[in-house]
Amino acid sequence: MSDPVPASGTVHWIGAGLSTGSGLAALCEAADRVRLWHRTGPRAAEALDALGLTGRAEPRAYDPDALTAELAPGDVVVSMLPATEHPALLALCVQERAHFACSSYVSDAVLEQVPEARAAGVVVLTEAGLDPGIDHLFAHSLVARARTAIGDDTAASYSLTSYCGGVPAEPNDFRYRFSWAPFGVLNALRSPARYIDDGSETTAERPWEATRRHVVDGEAFEVYPNRDSVPFVEQYGLPAGWKPRTFVRGTLRLDGWLRAWDDVFAELRVGDDTRIAALARELAAAYPTTDADRDRVVLAVSLDVHAGPDRTWSGAYLLDLVGDPDESAMARCVSRTLALGVRHVLDGSLPPGLNRAAETAARSEEWLGELSREGVHFTLRIDQ
């Protein structure tokens, strides 16, 4: 493994969308220099003013050539752009020997650049937001605690569920408000989900058809599987001798969501991309998140292990936050987690190559402690 390129102390935060919150302010404290790149210079300046950061970060008009001209070895590029933009940004970072960070899942196009990044001493930080991000921290912490209590060599079965959702703090009839790309919300529902149920791998071609009732801290929600959960069995370090009864990472919605969206699902079954894009625009206009609305983020991760009738262990993390007039709950969770990861790039504690929010129990505990001290609050319950 190559030595990491020493961090220069300069951070380039690219994009000032809905997930850019107080994490950017935290980086203004930690970094020597922060530049906010947005569609135009005036838009960047407006975003800084809205965040109370005028004079603490430099506004820039985003253009790949302009970024290249200002990028130096050891700088950190933080991408808040859509995931499709990340591969090109990462390639630029490798070329200029700058570090790269984002909150998105690792794509194949990013993954194939990791060997070159590692050889160049470049840190690639991904999955460092809310989901993915804090959910990984919770899962690694629970698995480590269960392994200590039960033992790696003990035959056992387990259920791990991880559900996350951004929902209205004040429920409406539609049981949802759109705060980010509406087409992305609908398109995710059209993508098959793979997970483990009753001990067997299962695929839901239409994830909403696998919706179940799920009670969190006495409150009923509706949940459904999302993406491919199965690779995370290995990523979370579950012992080979423990057999999964249930393993699912999914989306959480308010109780009554399935019924409220019945007409939407009818269109998802038959609509093509053009119709779904039009439907997304219609729904976003009908159910927007306005300045008067407050969002709520709920992330519930639980692990139950059974090693015999008299030997069980259960643990659960719950994050339940409501936004305020200064910042949405989603922006707080995503931006503060990402900023925490960037601070660890700046202090040289992350190695070159691919890093996720948490890949060890020790790092998970460290990051969870830091997030809690910085206003991202959660609870842990353990029964054994």
Side-chain angles (χ1 to χ4, degrees), residues 8-297:
S8 67
T10 296
V11 173
H12 303 266
W13 187 285
I14 303 179
L18 293 168
S19 291
T20 294
S22 55
L24 183 58
L27 283 181
C28 288
E29 298 285 344
D32 297 332
R33 170 178 286 179
V34 175
R35 296 180 177 128
L36 176 64
W37 298 78
H38 205 21
R39 294 174 185 172
T40 66
R43 290 285 297 275
E46 289 172 10
L48 289 174
D49 181 61
L51 292 166
L53 298 177
T54 299
R56 297 174 61 191
E58 304 167 17
R60 293 288 192 274
Y62 177 64
D63 173 83
D65 291 337
L67 174 63
T68 302
E70 296 203 41
L71 200 57
D75 287 2
V76 184
V77 171
V78 182
S79 178
M80 302 300 285
L81 301 178
T84 53
E85 304 291 328
H86 294 164
L89 269 178
L90 176 55
L92 174 60
C93 287
V94 173
Q95 172 188 305
E96 302 298 328
R97 301 188 72 219
H99 306 297
F100 174 83
C102 70
S103 62
S104 302
Y105 283 100
V106 181
S107 67
D108 290 341
V110 166
L111 198 59
E112 67 184 17
Q113 297 186 61
V114 168
E116 187 178 357
R118 185 185 301 112
V122 168
V123 176
V124 181
L125 175 65
T126 64
E127 299 184 15
L130 169 64
D131 174 10
I134 300 177
D135 57 342
H136 292 347
L137 302 177
F138 286 172
H140 277 283
S141 175
L142 290 174
V143 170
R145 292 168 186 270
R147 290 175 66 171
T148 298
I150 298 295
D152 289 359
D153 298 330
T154 304
S157 63
Y158 68 88
S159 292
L160 188 151
T161 62
S162 178
Y163 293 114
C164 184
V167 299
E170 293 293 332
N172 58 355
D173 290 343
F174 194 56
R175 319 305 283 174
Y176 190 79
R177 289 192 181 279
F178 290 89
S179 60
W180 68 286
F183 183 69
V185 174
L186 298 185
N187 223 27
L189 287 164
R190 302 166 73 199
S191 301
R194 189 167 70 119
Y195 57 105
I196 297 173
D197 185 40
D198 197 22
S200 300
E201 289 189 13
T202 302
T203 298
E205 295 297 332
R206 297 167 176 164
W208 73 86
E209 294 181 349
T211 298
R212 297 177 178 178
R213 185 173 185 268
H214 191 67
V215 177
V216 177
D217 200 26
E219 182 178 357
F221 293 93
E222 294 177 350
V223 296
Y224 60 89
N226 187 27
R227 294 177 171 263
D228 187 354
S229 299
V230 176
F232 291 90
V233 172
E234 180 179 356
Q235 184 172 317
Y236 290 163
L238 286 143
W242 294 8
K243 302 306 178 186
R245 300 189 309 276
T246 301
F247 189 99
V248 57
R249 301 176 73 256
T251 301
L252 176 146
R253 295 288 181 245
L254 292 174
D255 189 35
W257 169 82
L258 190 67
R259 182 178 62 255
W261 278 50
D262 191 55
D263 291 343
V264 175
F265 300 139
E267 298 234 34
L268 292 180
R269 289 186 177 93
V270 300
D272 58 14
D273 286 349
T274 300
R275 173 54 195 148
I276 300 307
L279 175 63
R281 292 191 294 270
E282 294 165 12
L283 293 174
Y287 306 103
T289 297
T290 70
D291 290 340
D293 295 315
R294 298 288 169 259
D295 71 327
R296 178 187 180 193
V297 166

